[in-house]
Amino acid sequence: MNPPSHGVTLASIYEARARIQGQVARTPLVRSLTLSERFDAEVYLKLENQQPSGAFKLRGATNMIAALMDRDGLEALQRGVTTASTGNHGRAVAFAAARLGVPAVVCLSELVPANKAHAIEALGAEVRRVGRSQDEAFQEVARLVNEQGMTLVPPFDDPLIASGQGTIGVELLEDQPALDRVIVGLSGGGLLGGIGAAVKGIRRGVQVTGVSLSQGAAMWESLQAGQPVDVEEVASLGDSLGGGIGLDNVCTFALVREVMDDHVQVSEGAIARAMVDLLQHEKILVEGAAAVGLAAIDEHGLDIRGQKVALIVSGNGVDLATFDRARSLAGR
């Protein structure tokens, strides 16, 4: 049997798990009493907001940097690593690089909130603001790679990154083997693709639901078009789900098409209400992208009655000003 073109397999996910063990948190899967009663289901929250870097991105970044070190040695990374990010991946790369003593430059567009930029700088990485889209930020990344010999750690479109994120799926089924459905925020596709490859590789019948923003959702538009397309980015409470997927996408577009069963978009109002609900009832303060699973169930009336459902609470990169904006939009 030929390996898949995207390069992400259950074997590559288990290899990632071995590499990152002890470097990232094995986050809890918590049953929400409030949401379970509200939706007549067993609703679980996978708390990736408890990663030491604040988000799931630490898994993929750690896996890729560790794999490169195993292959090329630490000396090959001494010129540093670089990436473009909507915030969380940059923080993960900064965290992993600092632990290894490797320089890091993270390129951000002007749309990335200031609190996320400050969090990256606090870990010792250099932040460069470039343009108003992730694609424009990647132009500076390309220059750093080509002219200064830095090593690219892409935010999503690489089998090592997606396999690292896929370790979440392994943990989900270890903690809840009878899981029926997982609802995942979808942007570049590394998170959903990795989780989908893991859960379907272990238990084929698990339903994988993707959730995208209602505007500026590049993966949504690309799937409709049947090929990667450019989409103008817009400011959003779910800013971590912004950014393009790359017209030369080599991994995650095909991976998402293979593992995702259904796909919805959520409005700013639904994201705001979900953020407020998670703080009020679950006592967790999260960024908009981490709340889209709940937003999707609520806004679209997804029928999860009687199911065991996991929502991926992907990160905690939110400041109080942004949360106050969400609370105002939610009318709470």
Side-chain angles (χ1 to χ4, degrees):
M1 183 176 179
N2 294 327
S5 61
H6 48 68
V8 180
T9 65
L10 189 57
S12 73
I13 292 168
Y14 276 108
E15 289 170 1
R17 190 184 194 196
R19 282 193 200 98
I20 68 178
Q21 188 169 12
Q23 306 298 312
V24 305
R26 191 190 195 287
T27 57
L29 182 68
V30 177
R31 185 176 185 271
S32 167
L33 296 175
T34 301
L35 296 179
S36 296
E37 180 177 352
R38 177 175 168 185
F39 297 115
D40 192 21
E42 291 187 30
V43 179
Y44 297 86
L45 305 176
K46 181 60 169 169
L47 299 179
E48 285 297 295
N49 58 308
Q50 293 188 13
Q51 287 292 348
S53 67
F56 75 92
K57 289 283 193 176
L58 186 60
R59 295 174 184 263
T62 301
N63 184 48
M64 183 164 195
I65 292 174
L68 292 174
M69 287 183 62
D70 290 344
R71 187 189 71 188
D72 301 328
L74 182 59
E75 289 186 2
L77 300 180
Q78 285 306 303
R79 292 187 179 181
V81 294
T82 185
T83 194
S85 172
T86 53
N88 288 332
H89 177 65
R91 192 172 175 184
V93 169
F95 187 97
R99 179 177 283 170
L100 296 169
V102 174
V105 177
V106 179
C107 300
L108 307 177
S109 82
E110 297 294 339
L111 293 180
V112 176
N115 67 296
K116 293 192 174 185
H118 296 329
I120 294 168
E121 290 173 327
L123 291 169
E126 178 187 346
V127 169
R128 296 189 185 181
R129 292 282 196 175
V130 183
R132 287 189 56 80
S133 73
Q134 191 164 343
D135 287 342
E136 290 182 13
F138 256 114
Q139 294 174 11
E140 175 64 7
V141 171
R143 190 189 69 78
L144 292 170
V145 171
N146 293 330
E147 297 182 11
Q148 298 187 22
M150 301 188 80
T151 298
L152 170 64
V153 182
F156 54 87
D157 191 31
D158 187 278
L160 288 169
I161 297 294
S163 294
Q165 323 306 22
T167 60
I168 296 171
V170 175
E171 293 176 14
L172 286 175
L173 289 180
E174 287 178 340
D175 291 343
Q176 180 43 264
L179 189 69
D180 295 302
R181 188 175 194 170
V182 57
I183 305 179
V184 192
L186 177 59
S187 178
L191 178 62
L192 183 144
I195 290 175
V199 297
K200 288 185 178 292
I202 298 169
R203 186 168 181 263
R204 186 66 191 173
V206 179
Q207 184 175 353
V208 177
T209 299
V211 186
S212 293
L213 301 177
S214 61
Q215 294 182 322
M219 185 63 82
W220 175 280
E221 299 294 344
S222 297
L223 291 169
Q224 304 303 310
Q227 63 184 21
V229 297
D230 282 329
V231 175
E232 183 179 355
E233 291 182 46
V234 297
S236 171
L237 288 170
D239 55 85
S240 294
L241 297 181
I245 70 167
L247 295 181
D248 56 350
N249 189 287
V250 297
C251 172
T252 56
F253 179 69
L255 179 59
V256 167
R257 287 209 296 184
E258 178 181 308
V259 304
M260 186 171 67
D261 296 296
D262 58 337
H263 190 187
V264 298
Q265 292 177 291
V266 288
S267 66
E268 290 294 290
I271 295 172
R273 291 190 296 273
M275 291 172 69
V276 174
D277 281 348
L278 288 171
L279 180 60
Q280 288 184 333
H281 301 299
E282 309 299 331
K283 309 307 178 188
I284 52 177
L285 178 64
V286 297
E287 61 189 87
V292 296
L294 175 55
I297 297 173
D298 190 39
E299 184 169 35
H300 294 281
L302 299 183
D303 187 1
I304 62 170
R305 289 172 296 175
Q307 295 183 356
K308 293 178 173 63
V309 179
L311 310 182
I312 308 303
V313 182
S314 54
N316 64 12
V318 62
D319 58 18
L320 291 179
T322 301
F323 184 79
D324 284 343
R325 181 160 57 89
R327 187 170 56 181
S328 175
L329 185 59
R332 309 272 180 94

